[in-house]
Every structure is written in structure tokens, then in C-alpha cells.
Amino acid sequence: MLVGLRQAFLRFHGCTMNCYYCDTRSSYSSTAPEFCQVEKLPGRQDFCSVRNPLSFKYILDLLNEWQQALPKAHHSISLTGGEPLLHVESLQRLLPDLRSILPVYLETNGVLFHELTQCIDFIDYISMDFKLPSTTKSREYWKEHLKFLEIANRSNVYVKTVVSSETTVCEIKKACDVIASVNKNVPLILQPVTTTSPGEAISSLLLLELQEAASELVNEVRIIPQTHKYLNLL
Ligand code: SF4
């Protein structure tokens, strides 16, 4: 929903899922890497290695430095991963100070609803993934997604679902039934899977058919690909 706006990224280690299309696999291996990569000036790719885990002070000082160097560049700070809600105790301590610098935007796989409850008051935007078995190649999460969305609906939430050549109209309708049961006005973004395999890439016709079916059940359905991939950005 915020496509085109710049964000600072804070990437967390670990994830509860193992989606086959995941492009951050190194961030959710069983043990955290000894070092993480920190950009000294945003967007310049002038990374340095810093030992994990970063202290809260280091994160806040760095973000303040970025804000001084580029005061208007960033719309918000994106908490991403992996799955940030795995670190809810750290989020509860960090977010009040983080939020005093930039609005907080959470990227999440949309399953850890207990953890969301514990920190939602410090989150301004939620990008909630809706995981379809056809694209993740794993089990379904309808019940977890429903509970998560019921809580996320208290904030500024939209739902994003990755679709591939194997996604069916029936599956999208089931996902939209879950969304509509909470709030028909929650926007839904259909994101074509980014792939180099022609067999996995979704056809434009199927994409439009999915949008047509979804639009019968929820009020706003957008098709947005991973634009940073086209631009060769992080
Ligand atoms: S939920 Fe996100 S971070 Fe976790 S495996 Fe899936 S795509 Fe990767």
C-alpha cells in the first residue's frame, strides 16, 4: 500500500515458516548469524559488519544519524525478517523509542496473534501476509490468519498474498471470506510470485481472474509485484 515510499529496514532473525519462495532464507536459519550487515548511509550499500545482537542503543543512534543525514527521506521504519513477532519482548522495549523517530510498519506472516496483541499499540501499519498452501507448499493457516486479522484490524492493516500459477480461484475466495468476515474494507494485495521458472510464474489471465473473484468479496483488491526487484534495490 505504501509502494514508492522509502523505508528504513530493521531485519529480524528467525521465522515460524519455510515458504519455498522466501528470499531471506539466511535470516531464519536455526541460529542467528554472528554478524549482521548495517548500511552506514541508507541506500548507498556501504555496509559494515556488526556483531549480533545489536543493542537497542546502537539501533536508535543509527536511526537518529540517518534522520539527521536524510531528514525527509524515510516514511517509516519497516520491521521485517524472518518474522519480527518472534522477538516480541524486544519489540515491547524498543518500539516506544523507535516510534518517537519514525512511524512503525510491521511486515509479518500473520500467524503469531498472541504476540501481536502484546505490541499492537506501538505499531502504525501492518502488512499481513496471507499464506496460501498453493504457493507456500506448506499447510494452511486459515484459523491463525483469522485470529491475527481480528487483532490487526485495530490498526492500519492490509493483507498481502503471494500468488503463483498453482493458485486457484477457490483458494482466493476462501482467503477473501476470512478477510470479509473481519472487515471488507481491509485492502488485499495480490503479489505475483517473483520467479525465474516459467512454470511457476502466474499468467496475466489467471491474475485477473483472481482479482475478479476477490473483488466480489472484499472492497479493494490491487495487483502489485515486488517493485524493488525490478529496480534492483534491496
Ligand atoms: S514467512 Fe516470510 S520470512 Fe518466513 S519463510 Fe515465509 S517468506 Fe520467508
Side-chain angles (χ1 to χ4, degrees):
M1 291 298 290
L2 303 179
V3 68
L5 296 171
R6 273 175 67 167
Q7 293 181 306
F9 266 54
L10 180 56
R11 193 175 289 284
F12 289 77
H13 169 262
C15 188
T16 52
M17 294 188 186
N18 186 16
C19 309
Y20 92 97
Y21 56 76
C22 181
D23 59 3
T24 56
R25 285 183 183 276
S26 61
S27 75
Y28 70 83
S29 60
S30 55
T31 53
E34 191 176 355
F35 293 92
C36 66
Q37 300 298 305
V38 174
E39 222 173 9
K40 287 183 267 183
L41 189 62
R44 304 311 190 267
Q45 306 207 8
D46 54 353
F47 290 99
C48 63
S49 291
V50 182
R51 191 174 290 277
N52 269 323
L54 297 184
S55 69
F56 294 163
K57 182 175 185 317
Y58 184 97
I59 294 168
L60 295 168
D61 286 350
L62 182 70
L63 197 56
N64 275 320
E65 281 173 27
W66 286 7
Q67 285 297 91
Q68 280 177 6
L70 302 169
K72 301 285 186 185
H74 294 111
H75 169 271
S76 45
I77 179 159
S78 174
L79 313 176
T80 186
E83 174 51 57
L85 290 175
L86 279 175
H87 307 268
V88 68
E89 288 178 13
S90 296
L91 291 178
Q92 285 175 307
R93 289 161 53 207
L94 176 64
L95 290 189
D97 288 336
L98 205 59
R99 200 185 192 198
S100 70
I101 305 172
L102 279 173
V104 172
Y105 174 101
L106 172 68
E107 288 263 9
T108 171
N109 61 26
V111 165
L112 300 177
F113 49 90
H114 289 302
E115 288 78 356
L116 179 65
T117 306
Q118 295 171 52
C119 61
I120 191 170
D121 290 342
F122 302 111
I123 296 170
D124 299 287
Y125 302 90
I126 301 175
S127 171
M128 174 191 163
D129 277 7
F130 205 110
K131 299 295 186 183
L132 302 177
S134 65
T135 45
T136 59
K137 312 281 193 224
S138 67
R139 75 169 180 89
E140 57 188 42
Y141 290 93
W142 310 110
K143 286 181 187 162
E144 290 92 337
H145 285 327
L146 173 60
K147 287 182 180 168
F148 193 97
L149 187 56
E150 284 171 344
I151 298 162
N153 192 41
R154 286 162 34 194
S155 182
N156 199 353
V157 62
Y158 70 85
V159 172
K160 181 190 77 184
T161 189
V162 176
V163 292
S164 73
S165 59
E166 294 186 44
T167 306
T168 64
V169 166
C170 180
E171 201 177 23
I172 281 291
K173 281 187 169 179
K174 200 169 170 184
C176 289
D177 280 338
V178 171
I179 298 168
S181 73
V182 177
N183 181 356
K184 287 180 76 161
N185 292 320
V186 171
L188 171 64
I189 292 171
L190 303 178
Q191 183 173 91
V193 67
T194 304
T195 177
T196 52
S197 165
E200 287 167 3
I202 187 168
S203 70
S204 52
L205 177 58
L206 178 55
L207 200 47
L208 294 176
E209 287 174 345
L210 296 179
Q211 188 184 38
E212 288 160 10
S215 299
E216 290 176 12
L217 298 166
V218 296
N219 288 335
E220 185 175 338
V221 186
R222 304 188 189 194
I223 296 171
I224 304 178
Q226 285 188 295
T227 50
H228 63 288
K229 299 275 184 182
Y230 289 94
L231 299 171
N232 198 26
L233 294 168
L234 289 178

